[in-house]
Amino acid sequence: MAEKDRKLFVTTCSLHRILITQSRGKKMAKSIVIFNYKGGVSKTTTTFNLGWMLASKGKNVLIVDADPQCNLTALVLGYKSGEEFSNFYQRNTGQNLKDGLKPAFESKPTLIKAIECVHVDGREGLFLLPGHLGLSEYEVTLGLAQELSGSITALKNLPGSFKYFIEKTASFCKADYVLIDTNPSLSSINQNLVMTSDYLVLPTNPDYFSVMAIDSLAKILPIWHSWAEKASSLPLLKDADYPFPKPDVKFLGTVIQNYRLRKGGPTIGFQTWIDRINESVSSKLIPALNDANMVMPMEIYKNAELEDDFCLASIPDFNTLVATSQEKSVPIFALSPEQIGRTGVVLAQTLETRDNFEAIFSNFADKIIGLTEDESCD
């Protein structure tokens, strides 16, 4: 970096720290990370449908695609190929998560700034921060930075950069909520996103592997929290251009989905696994998270009408409606009769199913609002 650029960068960073100090206490968007390292639990579908429903209730919502597979971006934009992504990146230079982080990860002599997000067609107040197929290129470097080793001096700006960039962009969109879609892994990026978010939602399927994942997360999440506590206390990271924040993530609850119905309820086989998930959450996950200060006061959950199993929503399999929703780039509950493309009795039954889905997600969104507004006033 040239000496002139270096001096300008240092001056800009000093002003940046002053602005951070002055902005403390201002209302910020509530960030909710949708995370489970188990795959196939409908994280992307949950993010999209919940974001749309929150927006329909008058909230400004930013949905963030932090999965290098970019399923959320593909869903919103209707993309089916890598070529379509390449064309999008060329037409909208810098307007994605990876490019927005370049000043930190590629040592650019400029500060991270907000980007103009994509307005989601058909839903006022809903915005997308697009993902990038190359986001995983930052994985190794971030992992090194988060090991808190002697090499961190040169990488001090990385751990706080995700939080800073997402907050700046959310503020630009005037977002009330930020929903972050993650990839199915225990990656350093996911570790960072979980520990720098305000809230955590855990999607699950009623099966053996979800029970295993919950049991594992009861051990992993407290370890991540301990790491974040240590990181936030390091002078090097506290004084970085993008300071790493003290962790304050709180568990909101689980979502159980993709099960078959019979006579108005889950089949016996699925109900067995639902019960085991709820038991594992209550007896293992919650005590572990409580010890790590990742659980809100119990009265907040009760005020939001959550049961002892901490289940925010129970969502059965809606079969072909999911595929139709993805094809049309709208939530299941926003599908029109024309988009569904059926007639007569079949259409009537399908519309009833669609409306049931809407009721489930409306209740889900109400619980999210109740939990986060109650907690913020606590």
Side-chain angles (χ1 to χ4, degrees):
M1 183 186 302
E3 181 63 18
K4 180 179 178 181
D5 289 338
R6 189 194 68 79
K7 289 181 178 180
L8 176 61
F9 184 48
V10 170
T11 302
T12 305
C13 291
S14 299
L15 292 172
H16 159 68
R17 293 193 190 98
I18 293 172
L19 289 173
I20 287 179
T21 302
Q22 291 176 342
S23 67
R24 285 173 180 167
K26 290 184 179 179
K27 180 183 177 183
M28 302 293 290
K30 302 176 179 72
S31 58
I32 303 173
V33 61
I34 314 295
F35 169 73
N36 190 340
Y37 73 86
K38 179 188 181 298
V41 293
S42 301
K43 291 186 292 292
T44 299
T45 301
T46 300
T47 303
F48 182 57
N49 283 269
L50 178 60
W52 190 293
M53 182 57 74
L54 285 168
S56 75
K57 293 178 179 287
K59 306 297 183 181
N60 280 349
V61 183
L62 174 65
I63 52 177
V64 178
D65 191 350
D67 182 353
Q69 297 178 80
C70 293
N71 290 332
L72 181 61
T73 303
L75 175 59
V76 171
L77 299 179
Y79 289 168
K80 302 292 190 298
S81 69
E83 183 179 356
E84 289 178 294
F85 276 100
S86 296
N87 292 336
F88 173 80
Y89 298 145
Q90 291 175 6
R91 293 194 309 269
N92 303 276
T93 304
Q95 303 301 298
N96 61 76
L97 181 59
K98 179 177 181 285
D99 287 352
L101 293 166
K102 275 186 177 181
F105 280 84
E106 300 183 17
S107 301
K108 302 291 184 182
T110 56
L111 282 169
I112 286 173
K113 59 184 179 181
I115 67 170
E116 185 173 350
C117 292
V118 175
H119 177 255
V120 178
D121 286 344
R123 182 65 268 165
E124 188 68 28
L126 183 60
F127 303 90
L128 168 72
L129 199 172
H132 195 287
L133 299 171
L135 180 64
S136 56
E137 295 170 13
Y138 290 164
E139 189 72 56
V140 173
T141 312
L142 180 63
L144 289 173
Q146 292 181 173
E147 284 181 1
L148 311 181
S149 64
S151 65
I152 200 171
T153 301
L155 306 172
K156 65 179 182 178
N157 284 328
L158 304 192
S161 62
F162 278 84
K163 173 77 169 178
Y164 179 87
F165 175 51
I166 291 172
E167 280 192 347
K168 290 283 285 186
T169 302
S171 178
F172 184 77
C173 295
K174 296 181 172 57
D176 301 300
Y177 286 94
V178 176
L179 304 183
I180 305 172
D181 186 24
T182 57
N183 70 330
S185 73
L186 294 173
S187 66
S188 57
I189 290 178
N190 282 350
Q191 178 183 7
N192 185 292
L193 291 170
V194 170
M195 287 301 130
T196 58
S197 293
D198 299 318
Y199 304 100
L200 165 65
V201 169
L202 178 63
T204 66
N205 287 344
D207 57 30
Y208 172 73
F209 300 104
S210 281
V211 175
M212 284 183 60
I214 291 168
D215 292 348
S216 296
L217 288 171
K219 301 173 183 177
I220 293 166
L221 290 173
I223 292 173
W224 282 5
H225 193 273
S226 178
W227 159 79
E229 286 275 7
K230 182 179 178 181
S232 67
S233 68
L234 289 176
L236 198 64
L237 294 187
K238 291 171 67 175
D239 296 333
D241 299 320
Y242 316 115
F244 188 80
K246 183 177 176 62
D248 194 30
V249 59
K250 303 299 183 186
F251 180 67
L252 289 181
T254 62
V255 180
I256 301 177
Q257 47 200 332
N258 300 327
Y259 57 85
R260 288 193 296 274
L261 290 173
R262 184 179 182 185
K263 297 181 179 179
T267 62
I268 294 175
F270 282 114
Q271 187 61 58
T272 298
W273 288 112
I274 290 172
D275 293 341
R276 288 191 61 178
I277 287 174
N278 292 337
E279 169 61 24
S280 190
V281 169
S282 298
S283 65
K284 296 180 181 179
L285 184 62
I286 292 299
L289 296 186
N290 190 54
D291 289 343
N293 194 31
M294 293 178 63
V295 177
M296 297 181 291
M298 291 301 156
E299 65 183 49
I300 293 178
Y301 296 101
K302 291 180 180 178
N303 289 344
E305 299 182 352
L306 248 67
E307 303 294 337
D308 294 337
D309 56 24
F310 295 85
C311 184
L312 293 161
S314 183
I315 307 169
D317 185 356
F318 285 92
N319 301 314
T320 58
L321 277 180
V322 174
T324 305
S325 166
Q326 294 169 347
E327 179 186 353
K328 303 300 182 182
S329 297
V330 298
I332 288 175
F333 53 77
L335 288 169
S336 67
E338 293 74 22
Q339 290 172 321
I340 292 172
R342 299 175 184 175
T343 59
V345 175
V346 175
L347 176 60
Q349 293 174 339
T350 305
L351 291 176
E352 182 180 357
T353 300
R354 179 203 64 182
D355 294 344
N356 288 339
F357 193 90
E358 181 176 23
I360 290 171
F361 262 86
S362 179
N363 183 259
F364 183 9
D366 287 342
K367 286 182 178 178
I368 292 293
I369 294 170
L371 284 166
T372 55
E373 290 187 349
D374 194 337
E375 196 274 340
S376 65
C377 297
D378 185 60

